[in-house]
Amino acid sequence: MRISNRLLLQQLFLSLGFALVAMFSSQSLMAETTTPTIQVSAEGLATAPPDEAQLKLSFSALNFKSDVARAEVDQHVKGLLKALKKFTLKDSTLDSSHTSVHPQYDYNKGQQHFRGYQVTRNVSFTLTQLAELDELLQTLTQHDIARLDQLSFGLSDDSLLKQEALAKAIQASYQSAQQIADGYGVTLGKINQVTHHPESPQRHPPMRMMAMKSEMSDVSGEPTYQQKNLEFRARVDVSFTFN
C-alpha cells in the first residue's frame, strides 16, 4: 500500500510538471510570435459653410379653461404657418402637430393654488435659403407667445465633407507611422488593425426668443446673423507592422 501511494504521488508530480512546462512553453511561443507594430492616431478636419437652418419653436398660453388656452395657441400657430409660406422651407420637415396640456400651480405655505392650464404647441421646420434667415427671425419676433427653442445649422448633403475628413485622417496616420518607422530605421509594413471614429459636425447652441429679440432689435437692410463654417472631424487609430 505504501509503495502504491508513493507511485501515485510520483505520477501526480510528473503530470503537474509536464503541465507547467507546456504552459510556460506556450506563453514563450506566444511572446515570440507576437507581431511588432507601430500604433498611431490621427484626425482629419473638413469645413464648409451651412446651407440650411433647423428651427424649433413653441407657443404657450395659460388660462383657467384649457379650450380657451388651446384656441389662443392655435390662432398664433395658424398665423405663423401663413407667414411661413413666403419662405423657402423643406416641406417634409414642417411639423406643427404636437400639443401638450399641463395644469399649473403656485405653492404658498404648503398649499397649492391652481393657476390654470398651460397649453403648448411645438412647430419645427428647416429653412433651405439662409439668405432669408434674418427676415424669418424678424417675423418670429412679432409673435409674442412664441419661443425659439433651438436654431441649428447644417448641410443638405454632408457626405462629401465626411469623406474628405476621413481621407485626411487616413493620410495623416500613414505619414505619422512612416515618420516613426524612418526615425527608428525600420521598414513600415501592412496595416495590422484600424478603428474609425467619426464625429458629428459642430452645431450652433440653442437660442431663446429673448436673445433673438435683442439681436434683431437693430435690424437694418444688411444680414445680421452670421454663422461660422461647420466642422466635420474623423479620427482613426491604426497599427502597422514593421520589419
Side-chain angles (χ1 to χ4, degrees):
M1 291 293 294
R2 293 181 178 177
I3 296 175
S4 177
N5 290 338
R6 183 180 300 172
L7 289 175
L8 183 60
L9 287 174
Q10 288 177 349
Q11 290 177 355
L12 181 60
F13 282 121
L14 284 173
S15 299
L16 181 59
F18 283 129
L20 290 174
V21 170
M23 181 181 67
F24 285 118
S25 298
S26 176
Q27 291 179 349
S28 177
L29 182 60
M30 290 177 59
E32 291 177 357
T33 58
T34 299
T35 303
T37 60
I38 296 175
Q39 299 181 5
V40 297
S41 296
E43 185 178 82
L45 172 65
T47 63
D51 61 9
E52 63 180 23
Q54 297 85 34
L55 296 92
K56 294 182 179 180
L57 301 94
S58 58
F59 293 77
S60 296
L62 183 68
N63 196 283
F64 281 102
K65 297 182 178 181
S66 60
D67 56 343
V68 174
R70 183 189 295 271
E72 182 181 356
V73 168
D74 289 347
Q75 180 181 1
H76 281 272
V77 171
K78 184 178 179 180
L80 172 67
L81 295 178
K82 183 179 180 180
L84 289 179
K85 291 182 178 180
K86 65 180 295 187
F87 299 99
T88 310
L89 308 183
K90 188 180 293 184
D91 292 336
S92 60
T93 64
L94 181 59
D95 184 6
S96 60
S97 60
H98 184 267
T99 302
S100 61
V101 180
H102 297 286
Q104 299 295 312
Y105 298 91
D106 282 333
Y107 292 88
N108 185 18
K109 296 181 179 180
Q111 295 183 345
Q112 64 178 18
H113 301 278
F114 180 63
R115 296 178 56 224
Y117 292 98
Q118 180 173 321
V119 176
T120 302
R121 187 172 174 184
N122 299 320
V123 180
S124 60
F125 56 88
T126 297
L127 179 71
T128 58
Q129 295 293 331
L130 291 185
E132 302 174 355
L133 181 58
D134 277 322
E135 183 181 357
L136 173 60
L137 295 180
Q138 184 66 31
T139 299
L140 296 181
T141 62
Q142 298 172 8
H143 296 268
D144 292 334
I145 70 171
R147 185 181 71 179
L148 181 59
D149 295 317
Q150 183 174 342
L151 169 61
S152 60
F153 295 86
L155 288 173
S156 54
D157 183 7
D158 58 10
S159 58
L160 293 179
L161 270 296
K162 292 179 179 179
Q163 293 176 16
E164 180 183 345
L166 178 57
K168 289 182 177 180
I170 293 173
Q171 182 181 14
S173 67
Y174 180 80
Q175 291 175 345
S176 297
Q178 186 64 64
Q179 183 178 4
I180 293 173
D182 293 342
Y184 284 104
V186 296
T187 302
L188 192 65
K190 297 180 179 180
I191 292 177
N192 181 61
Q193 186 177 2
V194 60
T195 303
H196 174 215
H197 304 278
E199 296 184 13
S200 300
Q202 293 184 348
R203 298 289 185 180
H204 192 281
M207 185 173 75
R208 301 298 179 183
M209 181 63 75
M210 290 298 293
M212 187 185 72
K213 286 185 176 181
S214 175
E215 184 169 345
M216 298 299 297
S217 60
D218 297 324
V219 172
S220 60
E222 298 297 326
T224 60
Y225 204 95
Q226 302 296 326
Q227 169 62 18
K228 295 181 180 179
N229 285 351
L230 297 175
E231 296 184 350
F232 292 81
R233 298 179 184 271
R235 183 170 62 87
V236 291
D237 300 326
V238 192
S239 62
F240 295 86
T241 61
F242 65 88
N243 303 313

